[in-house]
Amino acid sequence: MKKIGFLSFGHWTPSSQSATRSAQDVLLQSIDLAVAAEEAGADGAYFRVHHFARQLSSPFPLLAAIGARTRKIEIGTGVIDMRYENPLYMVEDASAADLIASGRLQLGISRGSPEQVIDGWRYFGYVPQEGESDADMGRRHTEVFLDALRGEGFAKPNPQPMFPNPPGLLRLEPLSAGLRDRIWWGSGSNATAEWAAKMGMNLQSSTLKDDETGEPFHIQQAKQIRAYREAWKAAGHTREPRVSVSRSIFALINDQDRAYFGRSGQEQDSVGFLDEKTRAIFGRSYAAEPEALIKQLAQDEAIAEADTLLLTVPNQLGVAYNAHVIESILKYIAPELGWR
């Protein structure tokens, strides 16, 4: 059995070809899609976070709104760039959203990916410390965030407060119990996956990672997941971790599916460079008739290793079509592969 959800990048563009022509469009349609996905039987609604782009950027108002409109579906991110975040303020925002959703938040965070502007985090007021890279800064913010989520007091109370304080040092409020165990790290390499395991975070692995062995993407990703689980065991954590992978998967059920994706399936992995030093491998997408799709997906080792599958959706095609994409996987593909 697998949990199956969707991952939306939340693109919008003022084009007559797009169903999301403004930021308001994509926000409201994201809420509606989460509701529709829950009604279809999906397990999760996840959203990418990008700054300085015509995409979703500030996740917590959206997550809180979805939490208020839904009852069962998990609500998450994939991922929040921690280089841009005030970790203590983020504890308050995340806890509030989780309380509204009655403990359904699954928060994916990471050091971030290449952004639209140069060193965008500087405009948010964050600068790496001496001898620290921006990636180090993102991990430092993460450690502060995780520590504060433990709920232990750390702030010295005012001796003459406006309102009475509980005894001892004060913690952040609100604080949502259990949220610490529902933090995920978006990892692009085996080393950062092992670091996430040591820190006690769940693992998110997307459709790209560092090309570390030259093997097909799904094999490298499966090895990353195994390395993560070994590191988790070595760290001595007592709970069972969760692992998600993302895929672009389209079951060609009707003429509209074939028109959109009948000839667009990227049947091979591709390799490129994220920066001057980082060679990355991008996983293939899947688009085929259900019978063929089932055979193809049965060979994906990383999907087999993961407990959660996130379907990347073309959000600019509108709520109704994306709900159909999700429902098609749940109805025609998941049962045949033993995912449901």
Side-chain angles (χ1 to χ4, degrees):
M1 299 290 287
K2 293 189 187 298
K3 290 185 179 293
I4 302 174
F6 73 84
L7 173 63
S8 172
F9 278 53
H11 293 286
W12 63 273
T13 182
S15 165
S16 60
Q17 303 302 312
S18 175
T20 51
R21 302 180 189 180
S22 68
Q24 182 180 42
D25 285 345
V26 78
L27 286 164
L28 295 177
Q29 289 187 31
S30 294
I31 298 169
D32 290 342
L33 181 57
V35 172
E38 181 176 74
E39 292 173 350
D43 301 297
Y46 288 72
F47 301 91
R48 186 69 167 90
V49 179
H50 272 126
H51 301 289
F52 299 103
R54 289 176 173 177
Q55 299 177 42
L56 294 169
S57 58
S58 52
F60 294 110
L62 174 62
L63 297 173
I66 293 173
R69 286 278 308 276
T70 57
R71 291 293 175 265
K72 296 186 291 185
I73 196 169
E74 294 180 342
I75 307 163
T77 51
V79 293
I80 296 173
D81 187 336
M82 292 301 290
R83 297 174 297 180
Y84 287 78
E85 295 296 322
N86 177 321
L88 299 186
Y89 202 113
M90 186 175 170
V91 168
E92 297 177 345
D93 278 349
S95 292
D98 193 43
L99 291 169
I100 290 170
S102 299
R104 289 181 284 129
L105 199 63
Q106 303 286 341
L107 205 62
I109 63 177
S110 188
R111 58 136 281 183
S113 59
E115 293 288 313
Q116 297 297 105
V117 299
I118 298 171
D119 296 346
W121 27 269
R122 292 184 183 274
Y123 296 99
F124 280 55
Y126 302 112
V127 180
Q129 296 175 354
E130 185 175 353
E132 185 181 57
S133 69
D134 63 298
D136 294 332
M137 178 178 69
R139 284 187 282 270
R140 173 168 53 84
H141 286 182
T142 297
E143 291 178 9
V144 174
F145 174 65
L146 294 175
D147 190 57
L149 277 176
R150 293 166 56 204
E152 296 180 1
F154 61 89
K156 186 176 180 179
N158 189 333
Q160 296 179 317
M162 182 177 295
F163 306 103
N165 282 323
L169 299 177
L170 300 184
R171 70 181 191 182
L172 293 169
E173 300 289 355
L175 192 86
S176 184
L179 179 57
R180 173 61 180 82
D181 289 343
R182 288 178 275 114
I183 305 302
W184 305 59
W185 184 258
S187 174
S189 69
N190 290 8
T192 54
E194 291 170 4
W195 176 80
K198 292 174 185 177
M199 296 299 295
M201 290 184 282
N202 301 312
L203 177 67
Q204 284 185 342
S205 193
S206 71
T207 53
L208 69 89
K209 69 177 296 293
D210 292 0
D211 185 7
E212 299 182 73
T213 66
E215 295 172 290
F217 171 79
H218 72 103
I219 293 176
Q220 291 197 51
Q221 191 175 50
K223 289 183 176 180
Q224 179 194 41
I225 294 169
R226 294 182 197 116
Y228 164 81
R229 289 206 171 105
E230 289 174 6
W232 182 277
K233 184 178 180 180
H237 303 303
T238 56
R239 69 177 178 88
E240 190 70 21
R242 288 182 60 184
V243 175
S244 74
V245 295
S246 303
R247 291 291 186 273
S248 296
I249 305 173
F250 301 98
L252 306 183
I253 305 299
N254 57 35
D255 289 342
Q256 189 177 30
D257 298 329
R258 297 181 189 96
Y260 281 141
F261 300 106
R263 298 182 180 180
S264 65
Q266 181 188 327
E267 297 183 0
Q268 302 294 329
D269 299 335
S270 60
V271 174
F273 285 84
L274 294 179
D275 54 43
E276 335 179 298
K277 301 178 181 178
T278 308
R279 176 185 166 99
I281 184 167
F282 300 78
R284 58 163 297 180
S285 59
Y286 295 91
E289 306 288 334
E291 185 176 348
L293 196 56
I294 290 164
K295 292 179 181 178
Q296 294 170 10
L297 292 169
Q299 305 302 314
D300 192 311
E301 291 186 16
I303 293 179
E305 287 283 346
D307 59 77
T308 301
L309 173 62
L310 300 182
L311 306 170
T312 59
V313 294
N315 73 278
Q316 291 184 94
L317 295 181
V319 173
Y321 184 72
N322 280 287
H324 159 74
V325 167
I326 296 165
E327 189 171 19
S328 295
I329 301 301
L330 297 175
K331 182 177 179 180
Y332 297 106
I333 307 302
E336 297 298 323
L337 288 167
W339 298 346
R340 287 296 180 89

